Amino acid sequence: MQTTGPSLTGVRLVLAVTGSIAAYKAVGLLRLLRREDATVNVVMTAGACRFVTPLTFEVLSGSHVATDLFEAHQEMLHLSLPEQAQAILIAPATANCLAKAALGLADDLLSTMLLTTQCPVIFAPAMDGDMWRHQTVVEHVATLRRRGAVIVEPEEGSLASGRLGQGRLADEQRILSALQAAVRPRRDWTGRRLLISAGPTQEAIDPVRFISNRSSGKMGYALAQAAQARGAEVLLVSGPTALRPPAGIEFCAVTTAEEMRKAIMTRFAWSDTVIMAAAVADFRPAQPSAQKLKKQQHPVTNLKLEPTDDILSELGARRTRQVVVGFAAETEDLLAHAREKLQAKGVDLLVANDVTAAGSGFGSDTNRVVLLNRDGDVTELPLLPKRDVADHILDRILALQTGRRSQTTRPRTRTPRKE
Ligand code: CTP
């Protein structure tokens, strides 16, 4: 079997353990981190010490385990530990730990460290399913994500309470991948130019009313941010959403399908990948009124619609070297409709999702998608945070581009046969 060697050589980490029954799993995680050659300083909260003894972690990490903000030590641990670390991994992270981090409370060593650190922080939460779904926890997780923390979502399964739900500490390989990405971010999109659309378009009926599609823009924004993090130059063309334009990404705000089409066509030649994640309106009022229509004018019965241009089909027909990726939002017969769109729109990759499925609806932070390409490959991804879905899509695009390059170079390298 081929081995690539340890992935964390030269990396110094803090592994923080908080008071969940899953604290025993942090022992296995520590062993994995040590096998990957990381230097690990363990910090334990008082709750964690009730479940597993510091001695266990001390023996396995080979260094002192810090448990107390006020412990007599030559260094100030809440400053020195994060200063030396390339990442802080909190596994398991309790609801209490997430809350303290989100609110900036500093009443023990770990929470104080989180206020001093500049390095990436990765939370791997574990708790009962009802707690994980509680609005307070949901809001704290959103706050932490917004500030740049990585959340390795807990998994579904049987919980310590005996109930089924989402709350089990993520698999250690998933935690390791998140950690590897944080300390050694992938830059495999460096030198690539991504043109991406997101959000809905709005088509005016009159100055106060419009036709639109349901779309939060979250999937498109996640793709733009993931590509930028991986080194790409990104232009995000966005319809109206409640999201903030991501920092460091060229941003073009549009309202109508026609404005989106123009913005995309103007920069099509610049790009080498185009992703149409926008929910473009298919119809617009043929004659929008300059004045607000009055109820008495029966605007609904008199409303004439005309089709908008299909931007994705135009891209599929016009592309030269670009990889063109489309989305398909469906409510039934997902695969059949997605296959039709893949062919009809001439795209390389289609990302299909059933918008009625649990966790994949409009506005959700997660998505369950199926990837279809022109060779007939169909890949179903599990329910994942949109940022993880974005990374999978970007991986697939890279694979398509690599395949395309090797197809175009192969005939040239073939030796001509002598007749
Ligand atoms: N799309 C586009 N221009 C349009 C409509 C859609 O570029 N005028 C793109 C979307 O951005 C998406 C893909 O086409 O990438 C599929 O969009 P979807 O709404 O799922 O399908 P439609 O083509 O609109 O077909 P239908 O409404 O019949 O499902």
Side-chain angles (χ1 to χ4, degrees):
M1 212 174 76
Q2 255 195 338
T3 157
T4 50
S7 63
L8 296 174
T9 303
V11 173
R12 181 182 278 274
L13 304 170
V14 167
L15 169 63
V17 187
T18 69
S20 150
I21 178 63
Y24 78 91
K25 293 185 183 171
V27 177
L29 195 56
L30 173 59
R31 298 199 63 196
L32 177 65
L33 297 174
R34 297 287 294 129
R35 274 203 304 278
E36 293 297 327
D37 211 15
T39 304
V40 187
N41 287 110
V42 178
V43 170
M44 296 178 75
T45 62
C49 297
R50 304 284 293 269
F51 287 99
V52 187
T53 66
L55 184 61
T56 310
F57 289 102
E58 203 147 304
V59 171
L60 293 173
S61 68
S63 58
H64 171 73
V65 171
T67 56
D68 185 3
L69 181 58
F70 304 105
E71 75 188 80
H73 208 273
Q74 62 270 49
E75 302 156 295
M76 297 219 257
L77 289 175
H78 65 291
L79 301 177
S80 62
L81 283 174
E83 239 165 47
Q84 293 157 8
Q86 274 151 278
I88 298 177
L89 167 63
I90 307 170
T94 58
N96 183 49
C97 159
L98 297 171
K100 288 205 290 189
L103 297 172
L105 303 186
D107 62 353
D108 64 4
L109 178 58
L110 174 60
S111 53
T112 311
M113 273 173 52
L114 292 180
L115 288 183
T116 70
T117 189
Q118 303 294 323
C119 70
V121 180
I122 300 132
F123 292 87
M127 64 196 75
D128 194 61
D130 288 341
M131 292 171 76
W132 176 246
R133 276 197 312 274
H134 194 284
Q135 195 52 33
T136 315
V137 175
V138 170
E139 282 166 21
H140 287 150
V141 167
T143 302
L144 293 170
R145 273 209 175 103
R146 210 174 42 249
R147 291 191 200 134
V150 176
I151 310 285
V152 188
E153 297 226 344
E155 292 173 4
E156 302 246 359
S158 64
L159 305 169
S161 60
R163 290 188 251 174
L164 289 175
Q166 187 183 1
R168 290 167 64 87
L169 183 69
D171 174 78
E172 55 183 38
Q173 286 301 330
R174 272 186 60 215
I175 299 176
L176 178 63
S177 302
L179 184 65
Q180 286 163 335
V183 295
R184 302 233 161 94
R186 285 194 282 170
R187 304 292 291 171
D188 50 1
W189 271 68
T190 302
R192 293 170 191 277
R193 291 170 167 174
L194 170 66
L195 174 55
I196 178 160
S197 70
T201 66
Q202 293 176 353
E203 314 299 328
I205 298 172
D206 65 22
V208 292
R209 305 180 179 97
F210 58 80
I211 299 177
S212 190
N213 284 340
R214 291 182 72 187
S215 165
S216 67
K218 285 182 182 173
M219 191 62 245
Y221 279 56
L223 272 159
Q225 285 168 310
Q228 186 213 22
R230 289 167 68 165
E233 270 182 79
V234 182
L235 167 58
L236 173 60
V237 178
S238 175
T241 73
L243 305 173
R244 241 180 263 148
I249 288 179
E250 192 182 347
F251 187 78
C252 174
V254 296
T255 304
T256 65
E258 189 46 28
E259 285 171 13
M260 183 169 276
R261 194 187 81 81
K262 280 199 186 123
I264 288 185
M265 292 308 163
T266 308
R267 295 293 290 275
F268 187 38
W270 164 87
S271 69
D272 44 46
T273 306
V274 188
I275 305 179
M276 281 297 297
V280 187
D282 289 322
F283 300 99
R284 66 174 158 238
Q287 280 159 345
S289 168
Q291 305 304 329
K292 186 181 176 200
L293 294 167
K294 291 290 157 198
K295 275 198 288 273
Q296 293 79 352
Q297 295 171 278
H298 300 289
V300 179
T301 38
N302 293 330
L303 188 64
K304 296 237 169 3
L305 297 178
E306 63 180 20
T308 58
D309 290 322
D310 189 318
I311 307 169
L312 187 58
S313 296
E314 197 174 334
L315 294 171
R318 276 215 206 174
R319 51 107 164 256
T320 48
R321 66 208 154 82
Q322 290 90 351
V323 170
V324 177
V325 181
F327 271 71
E330 306 294 346
T331 55
E332 56 180 359
D333 294 337
L334 180 69
L335 286 182
H337 287 310
R339 283 198 183 98
E340 274 166 33
K341 281 180 191 169
L342 180 74
Q343 293 306 328
K345 302 201 182 214
V347 298
D348 299 287
L349 183 69
L350 199 87
V351 183
N353 73 321
D354 181 346
V355 289
T356 61
S360 302
F362 298 107
S364 117
D365 288 322
T366 53
N367 207 355
R368 191 192 296 274
V369 303
V370 183
L371 306 182
L372 297 95
N373 69 14
R374 295 175 79 76
D375 295 334
D377 295 340
V378 175
T379 311
E380 283 186 36
L381 297 180
L383 184 69
L384 291 170
K386 284 186 171 163
R387 182 58 185 256
D388 293 359
V389 175
D391 274 319
H392 279 283
I393 295 170
L394 297 177
D395 288 347
R396 180 55 71 87
I397 294 170
L398 283 186
L400 285 177
Q401 276 172 332
T402 315
R404 193 188 270 183
R405 260 201 308 277
S406 61
Q407 269 170 20
T408 50
T409 51
R410 219 178 292 136
R412 275 189 230 130
T413 53
R414 206 193 289 153
T415 324
R417 257 194 298 152
K418 287 198 182 119
E419 297 299 335

